Amino acid sequence: MSVLSGKKVILGVTGGIAAYKTASLVRLFIKAGAQVQVIMTPASVDFVTPLTLSTLSKNPVHINFFNEEDESAQWNNHVDLGLWADFMIIAPATANTMSKMVNGNCDNLLIATYLSAKCPVYYAPAMDLDMYKHPSTLSSFEALKHFGNIMIPAENGELASGLSGEGRMAEPENIIAFIEKDLESKLPLRGKKILVTAGPTYEAIDPVRFIGNHSTGKMGYDIADAAANMGAEVVLISGPTHLKPKNDAVTVVRISSAEEMYTACHEYFDSVDVAIAAAAVADYRPKNVAAQKIKKNDASFTIELEKTKDILASLGQIKKKQLLIGFALETENEIEHAKQKIQKKNLDLIVLNSLNDSGAGFGKPTNKVTFIDKNFVIEPQELKSKEEVAVDIVNKIVSHYA
Ligand code: CTP
């Protein structure tokens, strides 16, 4: 999955011949899962049509502060546009537009939005080779760098003038690759390795039957996705579930029983920075597993159970640098029980679910949790979607390392 997925992008198009390439650029952003709003300078509409860019971006194109032909038309709010975006990209950025960006010369909607935006701004210059090297252009580059704007350097090649040299706008594929690489390098969990357990475990009774539970695994899968989206390398050790991570950078290790989950966790634990145990591990398993299918010969049938290993507690015993996060599902004396689990399992943080809260627990798309850290600082959370709870949990990790 591209780091651009779900990102809100403002593409500013200015009046250079390379503007025709922005049709491909919009397509590539959309293909990567981004939302795009296009702002065109009045001069750029001679090079590419607003209809092309609105069709490809699936959004109206903004050109003027308001539509002069339509009296009922609304003012285009550049402040709202600037605040909406996760980042802006101005491509092509002509020498004229760069000079306006440097001086705050706000005579069009694009520059007004640029000046209002608080998000990162990329720009891809495009001009003839001598213009590209002119001291005035070079000083624009310097000033824009000083403002924190990020230049996507022009490429070498044939120019519209017929000359050949540096000044061609970077190809749309290269612009996308540049932005993806830049965004990835700034993800807050880059370089961190995270282990997540998810789902139920199945404890065999005989070759066809097992003891299991109602866990869907959704909470753990959402945590794995959220951590990977923030740049972590994620190993997800999953019990039987039909789910798949949305982020294909997540490595999934599929297991069935508590014993297999224990072995897999211990295989990876030494190399990870964080472990999050979101699995609903069976606490007991049949002491003897029948080699053949059990026949219904008797009126009643008893299965003797033995304790499984507590995976989380075993990780707590050997942890060194790792941040260890567990879950607790309680029905009474919730806070007290959760605090005991923090100590018993040597955790840094526990995510408490109370079955007394409607909206929390197995098989629901929502969860209501309370965070309790090892110093017993208690933070009750609102009822949220499991995706949002996953992001909150991962943000706890981000602030730990901040
Ligand atoms: N857990 C685990 N291995 C087990 C049982 C639980 O790793 N064999 C983990 C779960 O993934 C969860 C945490 O321990 O993060 C708490 O599980 P829970 O079942 O609520 O608590 P238990 O310690 O099993 O205690 P009890 O069932 O008595 O409440």
Side-chain angles (χ1 to χ4, degrees):
M1 190 171 77
S2 166
V3 69
L4 291 169
S5 175
K7 288 276 180 297
K8 298 182 187 131
V9 183
I10 286 185
L11 168 63
V13 181
T14 76
I17 182 64
Y20 83 91
K21 292 187 187 174
T22 56
S24 303
L25 188 57
V26 172
R27 271 204 65 234
L28 292 171
F29 274 126
I30 298 288
K31 210 170 142 202
Q35 297 175 48
V36 183
Q37 297 217 52
V38 179
I39 305 177
M40 299 180 78
T41 62
S44 71
V45 299
D46 293 332
F47 297 94
V48 59
T49 75
L51 183 61
T52 305
L53 297 183
S54 67
T55 307
L56 292 170
S57 67
K58 305 180 176 100
N59 274 314
V61 165
H62 312 282
I63 304 169
N64 297 307
F65 287 100
F66 59 92
N67 185 344
E68 285 158 24
E69 282 150 27
D70 178 0
E71 280 180 11
S72 65
Q74 293 206 333
W75 180 57
N76 256 325
N77 191 331
H78 56 88
V79 179
D80 280 354
L81 275 170
L83 295 179
W84 171 83
D86 291 315
F87 66 85
M88 269 183 93
I89 156 84
I90 301 179
T94 57
N96 184 36
T97 287
M98 288 191 307
S99 161
K100 288 180 186 179
M101 288 162 74
V102 170
N103 295 300
N105 184 357
C106 186
D107 67 351
N108 65 42
L109 181 65
L110 175 58
I111 300 294
T113 308
Y114 162 76
L115 292 174
S116 310
K118 291 184 184 159
C119 58
V121 178
Y122 299 89
Y123 67 101
M127 63 202 76
D128 209 54
L129 76 170
D130 293 317
M131 292 172 78
Y132 196 67
K133 289 200 189 104
H134 195 278
S136 133
T137 309
L138 298 180
S139 81
S140 290
F141 293 158
E142 270 309 306
L144 293 175
K145 187 173 170 188
H146 178 69
F147 296 161
N149 300 161
I150 305 157
M151 177 163 119
I152 305 176
E155 294 174 1
N156 239 301
E158 225 173 87
L159 299 160
S161 61
L163 298 173
S164 185
E166 204 174 15
R168 275 166 72 107
M169 186 180 85
E171 289 302 320
E173 290 79 5
N174 298 343
I175 291 178
I176 296 284
F178 183 102
I179 296 174
E180 282 180 333
K181 198 166 160 209
D182 188 63
L183 292 177
E184 277 164 11
S185 73
K186 291 171 182 161
L187 290 173
L189 291 179
R190 200 170 164 75
K192 294 279 177 265
K193 200 165 169 185
I194 299 188
L195 173 92
V196 182
T197 69
T201 63
Y202 285 0
E203 309 304 326
I205 298 170
D206 68 13
V208 293
R209 302 181 180 96
F210 61 84
I211 298 173
N213 61 62
H214 289 301
S215 166
T216 58
K218 180 160 170 55
M219 193 67 249
Y221 275 70
D222 286 345
I223 293 170
D225 279 328
N229 292 346
M230 292 197 205
E233 190 186 329
V234 181
V235 178
L236 174 63
I237 298 177
S238 170
T241 139
H242 66 280
L243 296 177
K244 271 206 270 178
K246 295 191 187 90
N247 190 317
D248 50 25
V250 174
T251 303
V252 186
V253 177
R254 294 199 183 268
I255 53 83
S256 184
S257 65
E259 187 62 28
E260 288 167 2
M261 186 174 273
Y262 177 93
T263 306
C265 285
H266 280 267
E267 196 179 312
Y268 288 96
F269 188 65
D270 211 29
S271 67
V272 302
D273 302 286
V274 183
I276 309 169
V281 185
D283 288 329
Y284 291 91
R285 66 179 176 199
K287 193 165 178 190
N288 300 304
V289 181
Q292 305 301 332
K293 188 179 169 207
I294 298 167
K295 291 288 179 193
K296 51 176 183 304
N297 295 329
D298 302 322
S300 68
F301 179 66
T302 306
I303 303 174
E304 190 183 350
L305 301 176
E306 65 179 4
K307 257 194 177 161
T308 56
K309 291 173 189 151
D310 189 319
I311 302 166
L312 186 55
S314 72
L315 300 179
Q317 273 170 15
I318 59 167
K319 83 168 181 190
K320 294 180 196 119
K321 51 162 193 177
Q322 290 94 342
L323 192 69
L324 196 56
I325 302 177
F327 275 74
L329 179 64
E330 306 291 344
T331 55
E332 53 169 356
N333 293 334
E334 295 93 334
I335 300 279
E336 234 10 78
H337 284 145
K339 283 180 177 172
Q340 282 164 14
K341 273 178 199 171
I342 291 176
Q343 285 175 327
K344 204 171 97 196
K345 304 194 189 198
N346 192 19
L347 306 180
D348 296 285
L349 181 75
I350 203 156
V351 184
L352 166 65
N353 292 294
S354 167
L355 272 192
N356 296 324
D357 287 321
S358 58
F362 285 168
K364 304 221 170 79
T366 52
N367 208 349
K368 181 168 179 350
V369 302
T370 299
F371 292 127
I372 309 177
D373 73 10
K374 63 178 178 194
N375 301 316
F376 294 163
V377 175
I378 300 172
E379 293 174 86
Q381 309 291 307
E382 301 293 309
L383 179 71
K384 294 184 181 181
S385 70
K386 283 189 175 163
E387 282 96 337
E388 288 169 320
V389 174
V391 170
D392 288 350
I393 293 169
V394 175
N395 276 333
K396 285 269 168 205
I397 300 169
V398 172
S399 41
H400 173 82
Y401 289 111

XYZ file of all heavy atoms in Angstrom, residues 72-148:
596
model
N -24.577 33.303 -8.075
C -24.861 32.582 -6.835
C -23.647 31.775 -6.358
O -23.682 31.133 -5.319
C -26.040 31.629 -7.041
O -25.637 30.639 -7.977
N -22.574 31.828 -7.169
C -21.424 30.981 -6.838
C -20.783 31.430 -5.535
O -20.815 32.611 -5.183
C -20.404 31.066 -7.961
N -20.201 30.469 -4.852
C -19.589 30.773 -3.563
C -18.139 31.174 -3.751
O -17.483 30.776 -4.710
C -19.649 29.536 -2.688
C -21.067 29.197 -2.314
C -21.095 28.425 -1.021
O -20.141 27.749 -0.685
N -22.189 28.535 -0.319
N -17.662 31.912 -2.804
C -16.260 32.285 -2.750
C -15.437 31.016 -2.497
O -15.802 30.171 -1.676
C -16.124 33.262 -1.584
C -14.749 33.784 -1.355
C -13.968 34.446 -2.238
C -14.020 33.696 -0.133
N -12.787 34.794 -1.655
C -12.789 34.349 -0.351
C -14.268 33.164 1.118
C -11.814 34.461 0.636
C -13.309 33.280 2.098
C -12.092 33.916 1.861
N -14.379 30.841 -3.221
C -13.499 29.689 -3.006
C -12.652 29.970 -1.778
O -11.806 30.870 -1.804
C -12.576 29.526 -4.225
C -13.024 28.400 -5.104
O -13.520 27.392 -4.624
N -12.835 28.586 -6.399
N -12.870 29.230 -0.723
C -12.179 29.551 0.524
C -10.776 28.937 0.531
O -10.598 27.759 0.781
C -13.001 29.030 1.714
C -12.465 29.563 3.013
O -11.275 29.837 3.127
N -13.349 29.723 3.981
N -9.788 29.805 0.286
C -8.403 29.312 0.198
C -7.899 28.833 1.545
O -7.055 27.945 1.630
C -7.485 30.405 -0.362
C -7.522 31.676 0.423
N -6.716 31.897 1.496
C -8.302 32.774 0.288
C -6.990 33.092 1.993
N -7.955 33.636 1.287
N -8.455 29.415 2.640
C -7.996 28.989 3.977
C -8.454 27.557 4.227
O -7.673 26.689 4.648
C -8.528 29.944 5.067
C -8.072 29.473 6.447
C -8.057 31.363 4.800
N -9.738 27.279 3.923
C -10.258 25.910 4.091
C -9.485 24.924 3.216
O -9.147 23.831 3.654
C -11.737 25.837 3.680
C -12.633 26.350 4.792
O -12.092 26.637 5.880
O -13.850 26.476 4.564
N -9.226 25.334 1.969
C -8.484 24.439 1.069
C -7.102 24.132 1.641
O -6.664 22.985 1.677
C -8.301 25.117 -0.304
C -9.439 24.990 -1.302
C -9.195 25.921 -2.497
C -9.576 23.558 -1.791
N -6.438 25.179 2.116
C -5.080 25.010 2.671
C -5.094 24.110 3.896
O -4.194 23.283 4.082
N -6.119 24.238 4.733
C -6.171 23.432 5.963
C -6.607 21.998 5.676
O -6.301 21.090 6.444
C -7.109 24.074 6.987
C -6.646 25.430 7.508
C -7.658 25.999 8.494
C -5.280 25.325 8.165
N -7.339 21.810 4.568
C -7.820 20.464 4.214
C -6.660 19.535 3.864
O -6.666 18.355 4.193
C -8.781 20.592 3.019
C -9.215 19.300 2.388
C -10.219 18.477 2.799
C -8.655 18.686 1.213
N -10.312 17.390 1.961
C -9.367 17.490 0.984
C -7.608 19.031 0.341
C -9.079 16.638 -0.084
C -7.326 18.184 -0.723
C -8.055 17.002 -0.929
N -5.640 20.117 3.230
C -4.607 19.276 2.607
C -3.637 18.686 3.622
O -3.271 19.330 4.603
C -3.821 20.113 1.601
N -3.188 17.430 3.344
C -2.059 16.857 4.085
C -0.754 17.388 3.502
O 0.233 17.507 4.192
C -2.068 15.328 4.000
C -3.244 14.741 4.769
O -3.480 15.193 5.901
O -3.935 13.844 4.239
N -0.755 17.640 2.189
C 0.381 18.336 1.581
C -0.057 18.962 0.265
O -1.089 18.596 -0.296
C 1.595 17.412 1.375
C 1.402 16.301 0.386
C 1.608 16.494 -0.974
C 1.041 15.037 0.819
C 1.430 15.463 -1.885
C 0.869 13.990 -0.088
C 1.063 14.216 -1.440
N 0.755 19.951 -0.171
C 0.506 20.603 -1.468
C 1.652 20.261 -2.392
O 2.781 20.126 -1.933
C 0.537 22.130 -1.303
C -0.761 22.779 -1.008
S -0.552 24.585 -0.929
C -0.950 25.045 -2.610
N 1.346 20.138 -3.679
C 2.404 19.989 -4.668
C 2.105 20.970 -5.790
O 0.987 20.975 -6.326
C 2.543 18.525 -5.169
C 3.200 18.444 -6.558
C 1.234 17.774 -5.231
C 4.667 18.460 -6.514
N 3.058 21.812 -6.071
C 2.877 22.769 -7.163
C 3.692 22.255 -8.343
O 4.922 22.144 -8.266
C 3.287 24.189 -6.728
C 2.413 24.587 -5.536
C 3.154 25.178 -7.900
C 2.682 25.925 -4.945
N 2.988 21.857 -9.390
C 3.651 21.229 -10.542
C 2.830 21.510 -11.794
O 1.650 21.201 -11.807
C 3.773 19.716 -10.333
N 3.389 22.097 -12.825
C 4.749 22.633 -12.837
C 4.803 23.920 -12.030
O 3.803 24.642 -11.949
C 4.985 22.919 -14.323
C 3.614 23.162 -14.887
C 2.676 22.285 -14.097
N 5.967 24.202 -11.438
C 6.160 25.495 -10.775
C 6.980 26.364 -11.723
O 8.153 26.074 -11.974
C 6.881 25.302 -9.446
N 6.341 27.384 -12.286
C 7.059 28.271 -13.211
C 7.915 29.250 -12.412
O 7.710 29.443 -11.197
C 6.065 29.074 -14.064
O 5.223 29.799 -13.160
C 5.216 28.183 -14.955
N 8.853 29.906 -13.111
C 9.705 30.919 -12.459
C 8.819 32.012 -11.873
O 9.067 32.496 -10.754
C 10.670 31.504 -13.488
N 7.755 32.356 -12.582
C 6.841 33.404 -12.127
C 6.165 33.000 -10.814
O 6.130 33.762 -9.845
C 5.808 33.640 -13.240
C 4.867 34.775 -12.917
O 5.280 35.764 -12.317
N 3.597 34.630 -13.291
N 5.640 31.761 -10.773
C 4.947 31.309 -9.556
C 5.930 31.210 -8.382
O 5.608 31.604 -7.260
C 4.236 29.966 -9.818
O 3.105 30.230 -10.639
C 3.766 29.313 -8.533
N 7.134 30.713 -8.651
C 8.106 30.610 -7.550
C 8.427 31.995 -6.990
O 8.541 32.178 -5.780
C 9.378 29.926 -8.039
C 9.166 28.441 -8.275
S 10.685 27.547 -8.536
C 11.439 28.465 -9.806
N 8.559 32.968 -7.887
C 8.852 34.329 -7.438
C 7.700 34.861 -6.576
O 7.916 35.505 -5.548
C 9.084 35.188 -8.678
O 8.954 36.522 -8.360
N 6.454 34.542 -6.990
C 5.297 34.971 -6.185
C 5.282 34.261 -4.834
O 4.929 34.856 -3.815
C 3.996 34.667 -6.928
C 3.741 35.574 -8.116
C 2.423 35.179 -8.759
C 2.181 35.955 -10.035
N 0.936 35.563 -10.677
N 5.659 32.974 -4.814
C 5.707 32.235 -3.549
C 6.742 32.874 -2.618
O 6.529 32.987 -1.406
C 6.090 30.763 -3.801
C 5.000 29.932 -4.463
S 5.656 28.405 -5.209
C 5.979 27.401 -3.769
N 7.851 33.301 -3.196
C 8.917 33.890 -2.376
C 8.454 35.223 -1.786
O 8.682 35.517 -0.617
C 10.202 34.073 -3.228
C 11.224 34.910 -2.476
C 10.776 32.719 -3.617
N 7.782 36.018 -2.614
C 7.441 37.385 -2.186
C 6.042 37.525 -1.606
O 5.657 38.617 -1.193
C 7.615 38.339 -3.376
C 9.074 38.410 -3.793
O 9.911 38.789 -2.993
N 9.380 37.989 -5.003
N 5.284 36.450 -1.602
C 3.915 36.535 -1.080
C 3.020 37.369 -1.967
O 2.092 38.027 -1.490
N 3.317 37.361 -3.254
C 2.536 38.140 -4.216
C 1.245 37.381 -4.541
O 1.181 36.547 -5.424
C 3.399 38.346 -5.475
C 2.720 39.212 -6.490
O 1.566 39.630 -6.298
N 3.401 39.490 -7.584
N 0.189 37.760 -3.801
C -0.988 36.898 -3.710
C -2.068 37.302 -4.717
O -3.158 37.703 -4.344
C -1.479 37.014 -2.282
S -2.790 35.945 -1.875
N -1.772 37.207 -6.027
C -2.758 37.680 -7.004
C -3.547 36.543 -7.642
O -4.211 36.734 -8.637
C -2.077 38.550 -8.076
C -1.133 37.741 -8.947
O -0.882 36.567 -8.611
O -0.654 38.281 -9.962
N -3.454 35.343 -7.103
C -4.338 34.269 -7.591
C -4.654 33.301 -6.453
O -4.034 33.345 -5.386
C -3.756 33.569 -8.832
C -2.465 32.819 -8.536
O -2.341 32.165 -7.514
N -1.491 32.937 -9.444
N -5.640 32.446 -6.706
C -6.126 31.540 -5.657
C -5.040 30.558 -5.207
O -4.963 30.208 -4.032
C -7.349 30.755 -6.189
C -7.999 29.791 -5.213
C -8.623 30.531 -4.036
C -9.050 28.933 -5.915
N -4.192 30.152 -6.158
C -3.150 29.181 -5.792
C -2.185 29.787 -4.759
O -1.869 29.154 -3.749
C -2.390 28.714 -7.051
C -1.197 27.787 -6.775
C -1.629 26.533 -6.026
C -0.487 27.402 -8.062
N -1.733 31.004 -5.014
C -0.777 31.616 -4.071
C -1.477 31.890 -2.734
O -0.894 31.703 -1.660
C -0.162 32.917 -4.662
C 0.577 32.602 -5.966
C 0.786 33.572 -3.657
C 1.816 31.730 -5.840
N -2.745 32.313 -2.775
C -3.485 32.559 -1.522
C -3.566 31.267 -0.711
O -3.383 31.264 0.513
C -4.890 33.080 -1.833
N -3.813 30.151 -1.384
C -3.893 28.852 -0.693
C -2.520 28.460 -0.164
O -2.385 28.000 0.970
C -4.438 27.770 -1.648
O -5.648 28.244 -2.236
C -4.714 26.468 -0.922
N -1.499 28.674 -0.991
C -0.120 28.366 -0.573
C 0.224 29.132 0.713
O 0.789 28.576 1.651
C 0.845 28.729 -1.716
C 2.283 28.877 -1.286
C 3.071 27.755 -1.014
C 2.860 30.147 -1.139
C 4.388 27.902 -0.607
C 4.174 30.286 -0.732
C 4.941 29.161 -0.463
O 6.233 29.297 -0.050
N -0.154 30.406 0.749
C 0.189 31.225 1.921
C -0.626 30.814 3.154
O -0.194 31.027 4.275
C -0.032 32.716 1.618
C 0.923 33.319 0.583
C 0.510 34.749 0.252
C 2.368 33.295 1.080
N -1.806 30.220 2.930
C -2.657 29.806 4.062
C -2.302 28.419 4.579
O -2.624 28.077 5.710
C -4.126 29.747 3.649
O -4.520 30.903 2.999
N -1.673 27.622 3.716
C -1.483 26.196 4.053
C -0.439 26.034 5.163
O 0.563 26.742 5.183
C -1.048 25.437 2.813
N -0.741 25.096 6.062
C 0.229 24.808 7.129
C 0.954 23.492 6.851
O 1.813 23.081 7.610
C -0.505 24.686 8.457
C -1.070 26.003 8.953
C -1.696 25.794 10.311
C -2.357 27.061 10.802
N -3.351 26.775 11.819
N 0.535 22.820 5.785
C 1.070 21.481 5.488
C 2.386 21.614 4.705
O 2.720 22.688 4.218
C 0.044 20.712 4.660
S -0.382 21.557 3.136
N 3.116 20.491 4.552
C 4.313 20.532 3.693
C 3.956 20.913 2.254
O 2.879 20.559 1.772
C 4.837 19.089 3.736
C 4.215 18.462 4.930
C 2.902 19.166 5.148
N 4.849 21.647 1.617
C 4.634 22.054 0.216
C 5.812 21.561 -0.627
O 6.963 21.862 -0.320
C 4.520 23.593 0.088
C 4.337 23.996 -1.379
C 3.379 24.128 0.933
N 5.482 20.788 -1.646
C 6.486 20.357 -2.624
C 6.297 21.214 -3.869
O 5.185 21.663 -4.148
C 6.267 18.900 -3.029
C 6.370 17.902 -1.889
C 5.250 17.567 -1.135
C 7.582 17.278 -1.596
C 5.345 16.640 -0.094
C 7.675 16.349 -0.568
C 6.555 16.034 0.174
O 6.645 15.120 1.195
N 7.356 21.424 -4.620
C 7.177 22.095 -5.907
C 8.143 21.492 -6.926
O 9.258 21.102 -6.582
C 7.339 23.618 -5.792
C 8.732 24.084 -5.449
C 9.581 24.577 -6.441
C 9.204 24.045 -4.149
C 10.863 25.013 -6.133
C 10.487 24.457 -3.833
C 11.311 24.937 -4.823
O 12.580 25.338 -4.514
N 7.659 21.379 -8.151
C 8.441 20.760 -9.230
C 8.669 21.819 -10.310
O 7.786 22.053 -11.139
C 7.684 19.560 -9.794
N 9.834 22.479 -10.279
C 10.069 23.551 -11.252
C 10.076 23.027 -12.683
O 10.420 21.868 -12.931
C 11.468 24.068 -10.892
C 11.840 23.433 -9.609
C 10.983 22.222 -9.425
N 9.691 23.917 -13.597
C 9.734 23.576 -15.022
C 9.981 24.867 -15.789
O 9.198 25.818 -15.665
C 8.414 22.949 -15.460
N 11.069 24.902 -16.528
C 11.360 26.090 -17.352
C 12.512 25.770 -18.294
O 13.060 24.660 -18.244
C 11.687 27.296 -16.460
C 12.921 27.148 -15.616
S 12.905 28.251 -14.201
C 11.761 27.458 -13.122
N 12.865 26.747 -19.111
C 13.960 26.521 -20.034
C 15.293 26.506 -19.277
O 15.371 27.032 -18.157
C 13.946 27.620 -21.110
C 14.533 27.107 -22.403
O 14.052 26.073 -22.896
O 15.509 27.709 -22.880
N 16.345 25.910 -19.903
C 17.580 25.665 -19.154
C 18.240 26.936 -18.637
O 18.758 26.948 -17.510
C 18.548 24.790 -19.960
C 19.344 25.369 -21.129
C 20.407 24.368 -21.582
C 18.441 25.678 -22.307
N 18.193 28.034 -19.429
C 18.855 29.258 -18.962
C 18.066 29.914 -17.847
O 18.648 30.468 -16.908
C 19.053 30.222 -20.143
C 20.063 29.631 -21.128
O 21.086 29.091 -20.639
O 19.809 29.659 -22.340
N 16.727 29.824 -17.949
C 15.884 30.349 -16.850
C 16.180 29.576 -15.565
O 16.226 30.142 -14.481
C 14.394 30.179 -17.182
C 13.898 31.035 -18.313
S 12.211 30.562 -18.751
C 11.264 31.347 -17.468
N 16.375 28.260 -15.703
C 16.581 27.389 -14.534
C 17.865 27.760 -13.789
O 17.970 27.599 -12.579
C 16.633 25.929 -15.011
C 16.459 24.900 -13.909
C 15.255 24.773 -13.227
C 17.504 24.045 -13.553
C 15.085 23.822 -12.230
C 17.347 23.090 -12.560
C 16.137 22.978 -11.894
O 15.971 22.041 -10.912
N 18.839 28.277 -14.568
C 20.143 28.598 -13.953
C 20.252 30.071 -13.595
O 21.271 30.508 -13.066
C 21.259 28.254 -14.956
C 21.455 26.761 -15.141
C 22.825 26.487 -15.716
C 22.969 25.029 -16.110
N 22.891 24.818 -17.553
N 19.257 30.859 -13.940
C 19.358 32.305 -13.689
C 19.489 32.574 -12.182
O 18.825 31.910 -11.377
C 18.107 33.012 -14.228
C 18.295 34.493 -14.324
N 18.147 35.321 -13.239
C 18.646 35.282 -15.376
C 18.398 36.576 -13.605
N 18.704 36.571 -14.915
N 20.351 33.544 -11.827
C 20.542 33.818 -10.388
C 19.223 34.108 -9.663
O 19.077 33.758 -8.490
C 21.439 35.065 -10.371
C 22.106 35.094 -11.695
C 21.215 34.378 -12.675
N 18.277 34.712 -10.393
C 17.004 35.030 -9.734
C 16.245 33.740 -9.404
O 15.639 33.604 -8.331
C 16.225 35.974 -10.642
O 14.923 35.567 -10.773
N 16.299 32.748 -10.329
C 15.651 31.452 -10.065
C 16.375 30.749 -8.915
O 15.729 30.197 -8.008
C 15.709 30.559 -11.332
O 15.223 31.319 -12.428
C 14.894 29.301 -11.168
N 17.717 30.797 -8.963
C 18.479 30.129 -7.892
C 18.170 30.753 -6.542
O 18.073 30.057 -5.526
C 19.988 30.211 -8.190
C 20.434 29.505 -9.492
C 21.936 29.640 -9.695
C 20.047 28.026 -9.492
N 17.970 32.080 -6.535
C 17.662 32.697 -5.233
C 16.239 32.341 -4.794
O 15.959 32.236 -3.596
C 17.938 34.203 -5.240
O 16.882 34.874 -5.831
N 15.326 32.106 -5.765
C 13.988 31.616 -5.385
C 14.112 30.247 -4.715
O 13.481 29.977 -3.687
C 13.077 31.481 -6.602
O 12.728 32.734 -7.109
N 14.940 29.361 -5.317
C 15.126 28.022 -4.719
C 15.605 28.154 -3.273
O 15.127 27.467 -2.374
C 16.167 27.209 -5.508
C 15.756 26.810 -6.909
C 16.718 26.487 -7.868
C 14.416 26.733 -7.264
C 16.343 26.113 -9.149
C 14.037 26.359 -8.547
C 15.010 26.058 -9.491
N 16.589 29.055 -3.069
C 17.154 29.245 -1.726
C 16.078 29.704 -0.748
O 15.940 29.185 0.360
C 18.267 30.314 -1.771
C 19.642 29.767 -2.052
C 20.026 28.613 -1.138
O 19.949 28.784 0.092
O 20.349 27.515 -1.663
N 15.313 30.727 -1.198
C 14.281 31.301 -0.311
C 13.218 30.255 0.011
O 12.784 30.116 1.169
C 13.654 32.526 -0.967
N 12.809 29.484 -1.003
C 11.753 28.479 -0.774
C 12.254 27.385 0.165
O 11.513 26.880 1.008
C 11.274 27.900 -2.105
C 10.535 28.907 -2.999
C 10.196 28.290 -4.354
C 9.259 29.412 -2.325
N 13.546 27.046 0.030
C 14.137 26.048 0.936
C 14.095 26.592 2.370
O 13.747 25.886 3.312
C 15.580 25.790 0.496
C 16.249 24.669 1.235
C 17.593 24.391 0.610
C 18.371 23.436 1.481
N 19.743 23.286 1.030
N 14.438 27.863 2.486
C 14.431 28.521 3.792
C 13.013 28.504 4.407
O 12.862 28.368 5.609
C 14.944 29.954 3.612
C 14.949 30.756 4.869
N 15.824 30.485 5.904
C 14.171 31.791 5.269
C 15.578 31.329 6.890
N 14.582 32.132 6.538
N 11.981 28.609 3.545
C 10.592 28.558 4.049
C 10.174 27.127 4.412
O 9.083 26.902 4.914
C 9.591 29.049 2.980
C 9.736 30.486 2.578
C 9.181 30.934 1.387
C 10.402 31.401 3.383
C 9.299 32.260 0.995
C 10.530 32.732 2.996
C 9.979 33.160 1.810
N 11.024 26.149 4.067
C 10.679 24.749 4.361
C 9.996 24.040 3.206
O 9.567 22.893 3.340
